[in-house]
Amino acid sequence: MSEPRRITQEYREEFWRRCGWSPDLPEAERRHIEEHWDDESIDMAELFGW
């Protein structure tokens, strides 16, 4: 088996932006997106073509 891909902070932010994330959002909204879309969730979403 191959080792899981390591996601960089820049890659996360690029993905989160597609979900409405912005560094200017209120902290609660920003954290909600960041916590909902963790690395594993990002991998699964992309695996299914999102």
Side-chain angles (χ1 to χ4, degrees):
M1 280 184 124
S2 63
E3 190 171 317
R5 171 174 61 110
R6 301 288 183 230
I7 296 179
T8 64
Q9 185 64 23
E10 293 80 17
Y11 193 89
R12 278 184 206 99
E13 290 181 10
E14 179 183 321
F15 182 89
W16 292 338
R17 286 178 197 279
R18 291 187 268 161
C19 303
W21 181 93
S22 166
D24 299 331
L25 281 175
E27 183 176 350
E29 292 178 42
R30 197 178 72 243
R31 290 182 61 102
H32 176 75
I33 292 170
E34 293 171 1
E35 291 170 1
H36 182 77
W37 292 106
D38 61 8
D39 290 359
E40 184 177 350
S41 298
I42 292 171
D43 279 340
M44 292 302 292
E46 291 181 334
L47 179 67
F48 288 101
W50 192 45

